[in-house]
């Protein structure tokens, strides 16, 4: 007759710790000291313990699942965040439910409310919802934000202002004095902060910025923005993201406008396609998978100790990657 499988309580007894400590060690090892981790690991190996999500749920009251809500899975930026979230969740034997809002802030709120009834917590990436809606959600749901800051809600953001300073410094060094800005969705936190960072950096360099408007954060959005960018007379353009920049490059190519001979182009994100664009796209690289990983760690810490003191906010920094889409400003 096969031996009875070891339980979490068996591990705790052998390791000389409480069942809750074993659970914490398995789900959030960084929250447990090294000596305790070693004892628990030794007990797990000796007993051949295999955590069972359903059984663990009966003890902890958790489902063993978290939700991840993104605006558009077709955007490679969010696909990379998903990979970071899933990789970190898998290490803690946590399953991830992914939902796509299709850039609809009303659908976003409804999805979060529905998903919150089925999961232990939610990672909300680049939400388009208002601060008021986010606060209301956080009152009833364990939420961590990615690429968005909101009072009282833990999250991980990017230093968008610094990324724009790097892009502008690069363009100014190439002789560009009139720079166009193609914004993304008007409700996007990133649009607001990248636009602010760009304007501040341009002013510091005594150059000029021309705001073209807000466009869909897609290839098609870049195609739509291109003619307006050309009409500004700018010699360089910074776009909301790489997809917009790649769409813009395609339209400029159709019109026979040389990049970077006539117009230099800079994107943001450094998605894989930016290296394959022609010309290869200069962009501000953002650590996407790292953001997903950190978001899960924040959420697991929040679930493990709701009233504890966790670092509520983290900031990641971008890095300008110079490729072929930027060059010296054309002679007047």
């Amino acid at each position: 007759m096969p031996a009875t499988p070891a339980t979490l309580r068996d591990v705790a007894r052998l390791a000389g710790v409480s069942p809750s400590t074993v659970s914490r060690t398995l789900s959030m090892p960084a929250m447990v000291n090294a000596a305790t981790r070693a004892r628990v690991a030794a007990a797990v190996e000796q007993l051949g313990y295999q955590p069972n999500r359903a059984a663990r749920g009966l003890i902890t009251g958790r489902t063993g699942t978290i939700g991840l809500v993104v605006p558009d899975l077709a955007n490679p930026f969010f696909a990379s965040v998903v990979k970071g979230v899933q990789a970190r969740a898998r290490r803690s034997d946590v399953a991830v439910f992914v939902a796509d809002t299709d850039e609809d802030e009303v659908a976003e709120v409804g999805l979060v409310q529905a998903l919150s009834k089925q999961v232990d917590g939610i990672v909300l990436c680049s939400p388009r919802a208002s601060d008021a809606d986010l606060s209301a959600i956080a009152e009833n749901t364990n939420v961590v934000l990615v690429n968005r800051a909101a009072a009282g809600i833990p999250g991980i953001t990017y230093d968008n202002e610094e990324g724009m300073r790097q892009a502008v410094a690069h363009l100014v060094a190439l002789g560009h004095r009139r720079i166009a800005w193609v914004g993304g969705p008007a409700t996007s936190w990133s649009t607001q902060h990248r636009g602010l960072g760009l304007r501040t950096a341009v002013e510091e360099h005594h150059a000029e910025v021309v705001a073209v408007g807000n466009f869909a954060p897609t290839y098609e959005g870049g195609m739509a923005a291109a003619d307006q960018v050309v009409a500004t007379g700018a010699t360089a353009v910074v776009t909301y993201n790489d997809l917009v920049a790649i769409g813009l490059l395609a339209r400029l190519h159709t019109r026979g406008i040389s990049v970077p001979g006539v117009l230099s182009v800079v994107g943001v994100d450094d998605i894989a396609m930016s290296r394959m664009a022609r010309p290869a796209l200069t962009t501000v690289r953002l650590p996407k998978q790292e953001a997903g990983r950190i978001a899960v760690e924040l959420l697991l810490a929040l679930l493990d100790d709701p009233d504890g003191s966790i670092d509520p906010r983290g900031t990641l920094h971008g890095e300008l990657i110079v490729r072929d889409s930027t060059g010296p400003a054309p002679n007047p």
Side-chain angles (χ1 to χ4, degrees), residues 6 18 25 37 69 72 76 83 96 114 142 150-151 216 226 238 243-244 251 255 274 307 318:
S18 68
T25 302
R37 288 201 306 269
V69 179
D72 183 10
K83 288 183 72 67
V96 181
N142 294 305
V238 180
L243 283 179
V244 172
R251 175 60 180 163
R255 289 190 54 180
S274 66
D307 300 318

Side-chain angles (χ1 to χ4, degrees), residues 3 9 55 71 76 96 109 121 129 142 184-185 187 214 222 254 265 269 271 284-285 294 315 326:
R9 294 186 184 279
V96 181
V109 173
N142 294 305
T187 55
N214 297 102
T254 299
V265 180
D269 288 344
I271 60 176
V284 178
R285 174 181 292 163
I294 293 173
T315 302
T326 51

Side-chain angles (χ1 to χ4, degrees), residues 186-206:
T187 55
S188 164
W189 182 84
S190 293
T191 290
Q192 298 164 18
H193 285 263
R194 289 173 189 170
L196 175 62
L198 181 76
R199 291 182 181 88
T200 301
V202 166
E203 290 175 4
E204 290 173 352
H205 286 280
H206 306 291

Side-chain angles (χ1 to χ4, degrees), residues 82-168:
V82 170
K83 288 183 72 67
V85 167
Q86 290 183 325
R88 180 59 187 88
R90 192 179 301 117
R91 283 170 47 195
S92 296
D93 193 30
V94 172
V96 181
F97 294 156
V98 181
D100 181 336
T101 69
D102 200 25
E103 294 284 353
D104 185 332
E105 62 184 279
V106 176
E108 180 177 77
V109 173
L111 273 172
V112 171
Q113 291 174 339
L115 197 56
S116 66
K117 299 179 176 65
Q118 307 170 52
V119 298
D120 299 320
I122 294 175
V123 174
L124 194 48
C125 186
S126 299
R128 308 308 189 206
S130 66
D131 284 352
D133 282 336
L134 290 177
S135 295
I137 288 169
E139 287 181 2
N140 303 304
T141 308
N142 294 305
V143 175
V144 168
L145 304 178
V146 173
N147 199 29
R148 173 73 178 270
I153 306 176
I156 182 76
T157 59
Y158 295 109
D159 189 342
N160 288 294
E161 289 85 351
E162 171 58 25
M164 290 298 99
R165 281 194 290 271
Q166 292 182 40
V168 170

Side-chain angles (χ1 to χ4, degrees), residues 76 80 219 242-243 245-247 249-250 253 269-283 285 321-325:
S80 293
Y219 177 92
D242 284 353
L243 283 179
I246 293 169
L249 287 176
H253 176 75
D269 288 344
D270 193 31
I271 60 176
M273 285 186 290
S274 66
R275 297 186 291 278
M276 296 180 271
R278 289 294 176 266
L281 182 65
T282 294
T283 183
R285 174 181 292 163
I321 305 299
V322 178
R323 298 194 180 102
D324 299 333
S325 67

